[in-house]
Amino acid sequence: MRCLPGTLKTRLNQIRRKFGRVRVVSTYRRGARIAGTRKASYHASCRAVDFTPPRGKYRQVAKWLKSVHGGGVGTYSCGM
C-alpha cells in the first residue's frame, strides 16, 4: 500500500472513519490488464485499490464514494 497516491490513502481512511474497518484486497499488480482487453489497469501503476467494506455496508460505501470521489468507482457482485 506504500505506493498508493496520498489521495487514495486519504479516501480509505475516510471510509474507515465513516463506515468501519475495511479489508484491502489488492493495490499494485505488475502487468495488470483490464479483463477482456489489452489495456493496462490502474493497478499496474498503483493508482487503484480493491477493498472489502464492512459487512452490510457495501451499498452505503459505494454510494458515498460515487458522490465524493473524483475518479472511477467500480463495484463487484461479490461485494467489493
Side-chain angles (χ1 to χ4, degrees), residues 44-62:
S45 57
C46 203
R47 295 183 294 155
V49 60
D50 291 345
F51 66 93
T52 304
R55 182 176 288 278
K57 297 190 179 180
Y58 303 131
R59 285 190 179 118
Q60 292 170 311
V61 172

Side-chain angles (χ1 to χ4, degrees), residues 5-78:
T7 53
L8 285 181
K9 289 178 184 179
T10 297
R11 193 63 77 209
L12 279 173
N13 286 327
Q14 289 172 330
I15 293 167
R16 287 179 178 116
R17 284 193 303 272
K18 188 168 180 66
F19 299 100
R21 187 171 177 225
V22 299
R23 183 175 66 88
V24 173
V25 176
S26 175
T27 57
Y28 173 73
R29 293 195 315 265
R30 183 177 165 150
R33 301 275 177 222
I34 297 172
T37 75
R38 300 183 88 143
K39 192 173 180 182
S41 162
Y42 282 129
H43 286 282
S45 57
C46 203
R47 295 183 294 155
V49 60
D50 291 345
F51 66 93
T52 304
R55 182 176 288 278
K57 297 190 179 180
Y58 303 131
R59 285 190 179 118
Q60 292 170 311
V61 172
K63 183 179 177 181
W64 180 81
L65 267 175
K66 289 175 182 178
S67 74
V68 300
H69 190 65
V73 176
T75 58
Y76 298 91
S77 60
C78 62

